[in-house]
């Protein structure tokens, strides 16, 4: 052990026994000492890096391998990390190099109120945006190669965007699934920001007229919607470029099977950096759903769902509710 200790400068760190046990289950021969550092940021948990020494037989000398760890507390924290683990695991099964390998999720042995998610560590190039063509083609492959295990929309576990749940129960109709998803997001928003007469009146028209007008035609006249696996929270902060391979990767997933165009509702706010170049590259491979003339309206409707959920995530930000109201007004004026 004396020789391997030279790989780290003292003092060495003690990882939680549950985390260490997860590392030791891997095929390689890992052992202490470990080195832990803060790494990355999260609004809903704590993130870090765990370095471990590996002494696999096929290596001449010990070397360091790194892992990414995210922790959260309480029952909500456990549900969030379980959902993220299952989401990333599902993406990884389809495109293994598009997301870090999820390794384990569990509860600290030293503190049963703290839970963890352990995954393969990737160093992303700071500030580097993904290439529009390369990224969009990989995203298109994820959407098209995925297959719902039930043939329906939804997911096999409750998933979260931030620290709030999103609708993920199985539903055979996309129009019905989306309506339930938006209703849940709106209920969460009203619960933290209070009822509002304008929101109430506009939302009534959204559910009774706008959703049937924009989503109903997708499943009429012989048309169907394929349930595609979507990341579920794909803004530019949840994507990066791996420094070793210089290829795009996605993380912090909140998956479910949806209409593939749903993914792009998150790209509509002006604060996002996935601009028209990404959509153009994507649709060179995957055509817009019919009826094409409703494409812009569908994305605006999907945008409303994202903005409503975000408004619920930040209770003190009144500007986010104004944005939701603006989205609703525009949809009502154009499609009611």
């Amino acid at each position: 052990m004396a020789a391997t200790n030279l790989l780290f400068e003292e003092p060495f760190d003690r990882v939680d026994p549950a985390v260490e046990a997860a590392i030791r289950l891997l095929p390689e021969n890992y052992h202490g000492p470990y080195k832990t550092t803060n790494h990355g940021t999260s609004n809903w948990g704590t993130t870090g890096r765990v370095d471990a020494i590996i002494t696999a037989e096929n290596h001449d000398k010990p070397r360091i391998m790194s892992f990414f760890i995210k922790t959260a507390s309480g029952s909500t924290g456990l549900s969030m990390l379980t959902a993220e683990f299952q989401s990333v695991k599902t993406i990884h099964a389809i495109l293994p190099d598009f997301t870090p390998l999820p390794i384990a999720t569990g509860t600290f042995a030293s503190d049963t109120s703290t839970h963890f998610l352990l995954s393969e560590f990737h160093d992303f190039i700071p500030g580097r945006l993904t290439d529009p063509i390369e990224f969009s083609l990989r995203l298109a492959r994820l959407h098209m190669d995925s297959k719902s295990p039930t043939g329906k929309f939804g997911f096999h576990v409750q998933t979260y965007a931030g620290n709030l749940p999103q609708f993920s129960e199985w539903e055979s109709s996309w129009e019905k699934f989306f309506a339930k998803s938006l209703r849940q997001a709106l209920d969460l928003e009203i619960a933290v920001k209070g009822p509002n007469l304008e929101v109430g009146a506009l939302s009534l028209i959204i559910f009774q007229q706008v959703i049937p007008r924009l989503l109903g035609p997708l499943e009429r006249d012989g048309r169907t919607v394929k349930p595609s696996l979507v990341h579920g929270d794909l803004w530019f902060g949840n994507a990066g470029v791996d420094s070793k391979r210089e290829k795009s990767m996605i993380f912090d997933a909140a998956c479910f099977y949806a209409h593939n165009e749903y993914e792009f509702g998150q790209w509509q706010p002006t604060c996002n950096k996935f601009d028209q170049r990404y959509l153009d590259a994507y649709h060179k491979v995957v055509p817009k759903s019919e009826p094409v003339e409703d494409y812009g309206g569908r994305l605006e409707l999907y945008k409303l769902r994202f903005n409503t959920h975000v408004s619920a995530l930040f209770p003190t930000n009144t500007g986010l509710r104004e944005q939701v109201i603006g989205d609703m007004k525009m949809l009502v004026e154009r499609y009611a």
Side-chain angles (χ1 to χ4, degrees):
M1 284 292 295
T4 61
N5 286 352
L6 295 177
L7 292 174
F8 292 143
E9 295 180 2
E10 294 190 34
F12 308 123
D13 298 316
R14 174 69 177 174
V15 300
D16 185 87
V19 177
E20 184 174 8
I23 293 175
R24 289 185 180 276
L25 285 176
L26 295 170
E28 295 88 349
N29 178 21
Y30 294 101
H31 59 78
Y34 298 91
K35 199 73 175 177
T36 59
T37 54
N38 293 329
H39 184 86
T41 59
S42 172
N43 288 326
W44 323 111
T46 302
T47 56
R49 168 176 170 165
V50 177
D51 294 320
I53 294 176
I54 174 175
T55 55
E57 293 180 359
N58 60 337
H59 296 287
D60 295 334
K61 59 183 180 179
R63 63 187 178 93
I64 297 172
M65 189 166 183
S66 301
F67 303 90
F68 176 78
I69 188 169
K70 178 186 287 189
T71 62
S73 60
S75 58
T76 299
L78 176 61
S79 297
M80 288 164 51
L81 296 179
T82 300
E84 183 177 341
F85 179 83
Q86 291 296 328
S87 295
V88 176
K89 180 181 177 181
T90 306
I91 295 174
H92 194 271
I94 301 166
L95 281 182
D97 61 348
F98 199 33
T99 193
L101 170 69
I103 295 171
T105 184
T107 299
F108 276 10
S110 58
D111 178 6
T112 56
S113 67
T114 301
H115 316 284
F116 71 91
L117 169 65
L118 190 71
S119 64
E120 180 182 53
F121 181 85
H122 287 265
D123 197 17
F124 295 103
I125 301 174
R128 173 85 169 268
L129 280 178
T130 58
D131 176 77
I133 295 177
E134 185 258 356
F135 176 78
S136 298
L137 292 182
R138 288 160 72 78
L139 182 62
R141 184 179 168 193
L142 174 68
H143 289 168
M144 295 302 100
D145 289 357
S146 58
K147 184 177 180 180
S148 169
T150 65
K152 298 180 179 181
F153 304 96
F155 204 57
H156 61 281
V157 298
Q158 169 73 73
T159 56
Y160 286 71
N163 65 345
L164 293 177
Q166 57 184 8
F167 184 78
S168 56
E169 296 176 12
W170 296 112
E171 176 61 63
S172 58
S173 163
W174 170 243
E175 179 185 345
K176 291 179 180 178
F177 180 94
F178 179 81
K180 291 178 179 180
S181 176
L182 179 58
R183 171 58 65 191
Q184 178 167 313
L186 187 60
D187 288 346
L188 290 170
E189 203 271 354
I190 292 173
V192 298
K193 288 189 171 161
N196 177 284
L197 290 176
E198 193 169 22
V199 170
L202 289 168
S203 64
L204 188 65
I205 303 173
I206 293 289
F207 286 102
Q208 291 183 349
Q209 299 184 43
V210 176
I211 292 177
R213 161 66 185 84
L214 289 173
L215 302 189
L218 289 169
E219 299 173 301
R220 286 202 301 264
D221 301 326
R223 291 187 286 263
T224 60
V225 179
K226 172 190 180 294
S228 298
L229 186 72
V230 296
H231 176 285
D233 190 19
L234 192 54
W235 65 295
F236 72 90
N238 284 344
V241 179
D242 179 72
S243 61
K244 290 184 178 180
R245 299 180 301 116
E246 294 203 3
K247 287 192 175 183
S248 60
M249 299 188 80
I250 56 178
F251 42 86
D252 284 356
C255 287
F256 56 91
Y257 292 89
H259 180 208
N260 63 302
E261 291 175 0
Y262 173 85
E263 198 90 272
F264 309 134
Q266 181 80 317
W267 297 12
Q268 300 310 298
T270 54
C271 65
N272 213 313
K273 297 180 181 179
F274 289 138
D275 55 30
Q276 190 62 40
R277 296 173 300 162
Y278 291 82
L279 287 170
D280 290 343
Y282 180 93
H283 288 304
K284 284 183 179 180
V285 180
V286 182
K288 298 174 183 176
S289 297
E290 295 286 350
V292 174
E293 57 269 25
D294 290 342
Y295 172 80
R298 291 194 298 264
L299 264 55
E300 290 294 337
L301 182 60
Y302 298 158
K303 170 189 171 185
L304 171 63
R305 157 62 182 79
F306 281 103
N307 286 348
T308 303
H309 192 96
V310 170
S311 182
L313 285 171
F314 300 97
T316 61
N317 189 328
T318 57
L320 292 173
R321 167 163 279 187
E322 292 303 314
Q323 184 171 313
V324 169
I325 292 174
D327 292 341
M328 286 183 170
K329 284 182 176 178
M330 183 276 293
L331 286 163
V332 167
E333 288 171 1
R334 292 183 183 178
Y335 301 105

